[in-house]
Amino acid sequence: MQTGIISYGVALPKYRIEANEIWKVWKNLATSFFDMLSIGERGVLGPEEDTLTLAVEAAKRALERSHVPVEKIGAVLLGSGTSPYSTKAAATVMVDALGLPNSVIATDIQCADKSGSTALWLAAGMIESGMIDYALVIGADTLNRHTQPGMVLEYVASAGAVAFVLGKENLIAELEGLATHAHDQNDYFRIEGERFIQPGAGFYGWVANWGLLDHVVPAGKALFEKLSLKASDFSKFAVPQKTGLRPLMTMGKLELDMMQVLPYVLTAQIGDCGAAGVLLSLAHILDFAEPGERIGVIDYGAGAGCDAWSLVCTNALAERRPEAGMVIQLLDDKIMVDYATMSKFEQKYIQSPHRLSNFY
């Protein structure tokens, strides 16, 4: 392929909450699971934050780093399972917010946690075919706002956005290949009209991860076969990380080495960022990767399948490495809040639109 990544940008909520603050309220999980599952802190949305605001922030950083004029962007694809709109495309809001041309192909891609990866490869296909020259792709989610209070998912349900500018020139990483595997298996889902995500298979244990394994294994093996590569040919891997158990399962089943995976698992610092989760790990890898390194990406979306893909870093990566807005910097830039503040900011208590006054 000639298509690849020109630049990337990341946005994370500044507010965070510790798992122990949630546990003080609900006491619905043995605290011994915190270390076992790498549960630590997770993101809390600010009062005016949602999937779109995070997506726009990440996209602005990616566009600024790319030095590609906005009028040359031919498509903007927003991958998310938590769009603020049920019907309307949120990507069209990004057209106005970012000053993109009105002729841009603007659309939302909804494939659960792998929405961002799927959007990226759809955009790459348009570039590779010659339909457009440049594309802006964003994976963004706000799982915290869509997790019911008192569910164990609340310990990890987070938010974030990762954006990429794709093209054929001035690449920092070349896309190499894609393999995918999908069948209907609703281990997590949210039906029409429902605000909160439902776990169909629990939170911990083999059953809670069977959807993951049924998709990751065939997709990963298909990628290796398609590219005539083996696990050891990759220097680093970004893998699913809803909890710290998922990277271990992925690593074991695909015979990956510990150092290919575990240094890039961010669950303990930020929780599960949904469609931004694996891409956030990829951005963290790119922040420190070296030219020539081959990076693998395994992105699983509940009920949406798994995308396994690879990219190879170019010589331009070293000279165009970001100095500000790196993932590790954004993780450290935080304000801790308590459970009451979290509940207010994430609008877990909905006020009636028909009340007459703030006083009763």
Side-chain angles (χ1 to χ4, degrees), residues 234-277:
F234 295 79
S235 61
K236 301 173 176 69
F237 258 91
V239 302
Q241 42 196 280
K242 183 178 291 291
T243 68
L245 187 62
R246 292 197 161 199
L248 295 176
M249 288 185 158
T250 302
M251 184 177 73
K253 287 295 182 180
L254 292 178
E255 299 181 353
L256 302 174
D257 183 78
M258 183 183 300
M259 294 310 295
Q260 289 175 289
V261 175
L262 296 187
Y264 318 106
V265 176
L266 305 174
T267 307
Q269 294 100 311
I270 193 62
D272 176 16
C273 296

Coordinates of all heavy atoms in Angstrom, one line a residue, residues 234-277:
F234 N 7.0 -8.5 14.7 CA 6.5 -7.2 15.2 C 7.2 -6.7 16.4 O 7.5 -7.6 17.3 CB 5.0 -7.3 15.5 CG 4.1 -7.6 14.3 CD1 4.0 -8.9 13.8 CD2 3.4 -6.6 13.7 CE1 3.2 -9.2 12.7 CE2 2.6 -6.9 12.6 CZ 2.5 -8.1 12.1
S235 N 7.5 -5.5 16.5 CA 8.2 -5.0 17.7 C 7.3 -4.6 18.8 O 7.6 -4.8 20.0 CB 9.1 -3.7 17.3 OG 8.2 -2.7 16.9
K236 N 6.1 -4.2 18.5 CA 5.1 -3.7 19.5 C 3.7 -4.0 19.0 O 3.4 -4.1 17.8 CB 5.2 -2.2 19.8 CG 6.6 -1.8 20.3 CD 6.8 -0.3 20.4 CE 8.1 0.1 21.0 NZ 9.2 -0.2 20.1
F237 N 2.8 -4.2 19.9 CA 1.4 -4.5 19.6 C 0.4 -3.6 20.5 O 0.7 -3.5 21.7 CB 1.0 -5.9 19.8 CG 1.0 -6.8 18.6 CD1 2.1 -7.4 18.1 CD2 -0.2 -6.9 17.9 CE1 2.1 -8.2 17.0 CE2 -0.2 -7.7 16.7 CZ 0.9 -8.3 16.3
A238 N -0.6 -3.0 19.8 CA -1.6 -2.3 20.6 C -2.8 -3.3 20.5 O -3.3 -3.7 19.5 CB -2.0 -1.0 19.9
V239 N -3.3 -3.7 21.7 CA -4.3 -4.7 21.8 C -5.5 -4.3 22.7 O -5.4 -3.3 23.4 CB -3.7 -6.0 22.4 CG1 -2.6 -6.5 21.5 CG2 -3.3 -5.8 23.8
P240 N -6.7 -5.0 22.6 CA -7.8 -4.6 23.5 C -7.5 -4.6 24.9 O -6.8 -5.5 25.4 CB -8.8 -5.7 23.2 CG -8.4 -6.2 21.8 CD -7.0 -6.1 21.7
Q241 N -8.0 -3.6 25.6 CA -7.6 -3.4 27.0 C -8.7 -2.8 27.9 O -8.5 -1.8 28.6 CB -6.3 -2.6 27.2 CG -6.3 -1.4 26.2 CD -4.8 -0.8 26.1 OE1 -4.4 -0.1 27.0 NE2 -4.1 -1.1 25.1
K242 N -9.9 -3.4 27.8 CA -11.0 -3.0 28.6 C -10.6 -3.2 30.1 O -10.9 -2.4 31.0 CB -12.3 -3.9 28.3 CG -13.5 -3.5 29.1 CD -14.7 -4.3 28.7 CE -15.2 -4.0 27.3 NZ -15.8 -2.6 27.3
T243 N -10.0 -4.4 30.4 CA -9.3 -4.6 31.7 C -7.9 -5.2 31.4 O -7.6 -5.4 30.2 CB -10.1 -5.7 32.5 OG1 -10.0 -6.9 31.9 CG2 -11.5 -5.3 32.7
G244 N -7.1 -5.3 32.4 CA -5.8 -5.8 32.2 C -5.7 -7.3 31.9 O -4.6 -7.8 31.5
L245 N -6.8 -8.0 32.0 CA -6.9 -9.4 31.6 C -6.9 -9.6 30.1 O -6.3 -10.6 29.6 CB -8.1 -10.0 32.2 CG -8.3 -11.5 32.1 CD1 -7.1 -12.2 32.8 CD2 -9.6 -12.0 32.7
R246 N -7.5 -8.7 29.4 CA -7.7 -8.9 27.9 C -6.3 -8.9 27.2 O -6.1 -9.7 26.3 CB -8.6 -7.8 27.4 CG -10.1 -8.0 27.8 CD -11.1 -7.3 27.0 NE -12.4 -7.9 27.2 CZ -13.4 -7.8 26.4 NH1 -13.3 -7.1 25.3 NH2 -14.6 -8.4 26.7
P247 N -5.4 -7.9 27.5 CA -4.1 -8.0 26.9 C -3.4 -9.3 27.1 O -2.7 -9.9 26.2 CB -3.3 -6.8 27.5 CG -4.4 -5.9 28.0 CD -5.5 -6.8 28.4
L248 N -3.5 -9.9 28.3 CA -2.9 -11.2 28.7 C -3.5 -12.3 27.8 O -2.7 -13.2 27.3 CB -3.0 -11.5 30.1 CG -2.3 -10.5 31.1 CD1 -2.7 -10.9 32.6 CD2 -0.8 -10.5 30.9
M249 N -4.8 -12.3 27.7 CA -5.4 -13.3 26.9 C -5.0 -13.2 25.4 O -4.7 -14.2 24.7 CB -7.0 -13.2 27.0 CG -7.5 -13.7 28.3 SD -9.3 -13.7 28.4 CE -9.6 -14.9 29.7
T250 N -5.1 -12.0 24.9 CA -4.7 -11.8 23.5 C -3.2 -12.2 23.3 O -2.9 -12.9 22.3 CB -4.8 -10.3 23.1 OG1 -6.2 -9.9 23.3 CG2 -4.5 -10.0 21.7
M251 N -2.4 -11.8 24.2 CA -0.9 -12.1 24.1 C -0.7 -13.6 24.1 O 0.1 -14.1 23.3 CB -0.2 -11.5 25.3 CG 1.3 -11.6 25.4 SD 1.9 -10.7 26.8 CE 1.4 -11.8 28.1
G252 N -1.4 -14.3 25.0 CA -1.2 -15.7 25.1 C -1.7 -16.5 23.9 O -1.0 -17.4 23.4
K253 N -2.9 -16.1 23.4 CA -3.4 -16.9 22.3 C -2.7 -16.6 20.9 O -2.7 -17.5 20.0 CB -4.9 -16.5 22.1 CG -5.8 -17.1 23.2 CD -5.8 -18.6 23.1 CE -6.7 -19.2 24.2 NZ -6.8 -20.7 24.1
L254 N -2.1 -15.5 20.8 CA -1.4 -15.2 19.5 C 0.1 -15.3 19.7 O 0.9 -14.9 18.8 CB -1.7 -13.7 19.1 CG -3.2 -13.5 18.6 CD1 -3.4 -12.1 18.2 CD2 -3.5 -14.4 17.5
E255 N 0.5 -15.9 20.8 CA 2.0 -16.2 21.1 C 2.8 -14.9 21.0 O 3.9 -14.9 20.4 CB 2.4 -17.3 20.1 CG 1.7 -18.6 20.3 CD 2.2 -19.7 19.3 OE1 3.0 -19.4 18.5 OE2 1.7 -20.8 19.5
L256 N 2.3 -13.8 21.5 CA 3.1 -12.6 21.6 C 3.9 -12.6 22.8 O 3.6 -13.1 23.8 CB 2.2 -11.4 21.5 CG 1.2 -11.2 20.4 CD1 0.3 -10.1 20.6 CD2 2.0 -11.1 19.1
D257 N 5.1 -11.8 22.7 CA 5.9 -11.7 23.9 C 5.4 -10.6 24.8 O 4.8 -9.7 24.4 CB 7.4 -11.4 23.4 CG 8.3 -11.3 24.6 OD1 8.8 -12.3 25.0 OD2 8.7 -10.1 25.0
M258 N 5.7 -10.8 26.1 CA 5.2 -9.8 27.1 C 5.7 -8.4 26.8 O 4.9 -7.4 26.9 CB 5.8 -10.2 28.5 CG 5.3 -9.3 29.6 SD 6.1 -9.8 31.2 CE 5.5 -11.5 31.4
M259 N 6.9 -8.2 26.3 CA 7.4 -6.8 26.1 C 6.8 -6.2 24.8 O 7.0 -5.0 24.5 CB 8.9 -6.8 26.0 CG 9.5 -7.1 27.4 SD 8.9 -6.1 28.7 CE 9.4 -4.5 28.3
Q260 N 6.2 -7.1 23.9 CA 5.5 -6.5 22.8 C 4.2 -5.9 23.1 O 3.7 -5.0 22.3 CB 5.2 -7.7 21.8 CG 6.4 -8.2 21.0 CD 6.1 -9.4 20.2 OE1 5.7 -10.5 20.7 NE2 6.1 -9.2 18.9
V261 N 3.6 -6.2 24.3 CA 2.3 -5.8 24.6 C 2.2 -5.0 25.9 O 1.6 -3.8 25.9 CB 1.4 -7.1 24.8 CG1 0.0 -6.7 25.2 CG2 1.3 -7.8 23.4
L262 N 2.6 -5.5 27.0 CA 2.3 -4.9 28.3 C 2.8 -3.5 28.5 O 2.1 -2.7 29.2 CB 2.9 -5.8 29.4 CG 2.2 -7.2 29.5 CD1 2.7 -8.0 30.7 CD2 0.7 -7.2 29.5
P263 N 3.9 -3.0 28.0 CA 4.3 -1.6 28.2 C 3.3 -0.6 27.6 O 3.4 0.6 28.0 CB 5.7 -1.5 27.5 CG 6.2 -2.9 27.5 CD 5.0 -3.8 27.3
Y264 N 2.4 -1.1 26.8 CA 1.5 -0.2 26.1 C 0.1 -0.4 26.5 O -0.8 0.1 25.8 CB 1.7 -0.3 24.5 CG 3.2 -0.5 24.2 CD1 3.7 -1.7 23.9 CD2 4.0 0.6 24.3 CE1 5.1 -1.9 23.6 CE2 5.4 0.5 24.1 CZ 5.9 -0.8 23.8 OH 7.3 -0.9 23.5
V265 N -0.1 -1.0 27.6 CA -1.4 -1.2 28.2 C -1.7 -0.1 29.2 O -0.9 0.1 30.1 CB -1.6 -2.6 28.9 CG1 -2.9 -2.7 29.5 CG2 -1.4 -3.7 27.8
L266 N -2.7 0.7 28.9 CA -3.0 1.9 29.7 C -4.2 1.9 30.6 O -4.7 2.9 31.1 CB -3.1 3.1 28.7 CG -2.0 3.3 27.7 CD1 -2.3 4.4 26.7 CD2 -0.6 3.6 28.5
T267 N -4.7 0.7 30.8 CA -5.9 0.5 31.6 C -5.9 1.1 33.0 O -6.8 1.8 33.4 CB -6.3 -1.0 31.7 OG1 -6.3 -1.6 30.4 CG2 -7.7 -1.2 32.4
A268 N -4.8 0.9 33.7 CA -4.6 1.4 35.0 C -4.6 2.9 35.1 O -5.0 3.5 36.1 CB -3.4 0.8 35.7
Q269 N -4.2 3.6 34.0 CA -4.1 5.0 34.1 C -5.3 5.7 33.6 O -5.6 6.8 34.0 CB -2.9 5.5 33.2 CG -1.5 5.1 33.7 CD -1.0 3.9 33.0 OE1 -1.7 2.9 32.9 NE2 0.3 4.0 32.6
I270 N -6.1 5.1 32.7 CA -7.2 5.8 32.1 C -8.5 5.0 31.9 O -9.5 5.5 31.6 CB -6.8 6.4 30.7 CG1 -7.8 7.4 30.2 CG2 -6.5 5.3 29.7 CD1 -8.0 8.7 31.0
G271 N -8.4 3.7 32.1 CA -9.6 2.8 32.0 C -9.9 2.4 30.5 O -9.0 2.4 29.7
D272 N -11.1 2.1 30.2 CA -11.5 1.7 28.9 C -12.1 2.8 28.1 O -13.1 3.4 28.4 CB -12.6 0.6 29.1 CG -13.1 0.1 27.7 OD1 -12.5 0.4 26.7 OD2 -14.2 -0.6 27.8
C273 N -11.4 3.2 27.1 CA -11.8 4.4 26.2 C -12.6 4.0 25.0 O -12.7 4.8 24.1 CB -10.5 5.2 25.8 SG -9.7 6.0 27.2
G274 N -13.1 2.8 25.0 CA -13.9 2.4 23.9 C -13.2 2.4 22.5 O -12.1 1.8 22.3
A275 N -13.8 3.1 21.6 CA -13.2 3.2 20.2 C -11.9 3.9 20.2 O -11.1 3.8 19.2 CB -14.2 3.9 19.3
A276 N -11.6 4.6 21.2 CA -10.3 5.3 21.3 C -9.2 4.5 22.1 O -8.1 4.8 22.1 CB -10.4 6.7 22.0
G277 N -9.7 3.3 22.6 CA -8.8 2.6 23.5 C -7.5 2.0 22.9 O -6.4 2.3 23.3

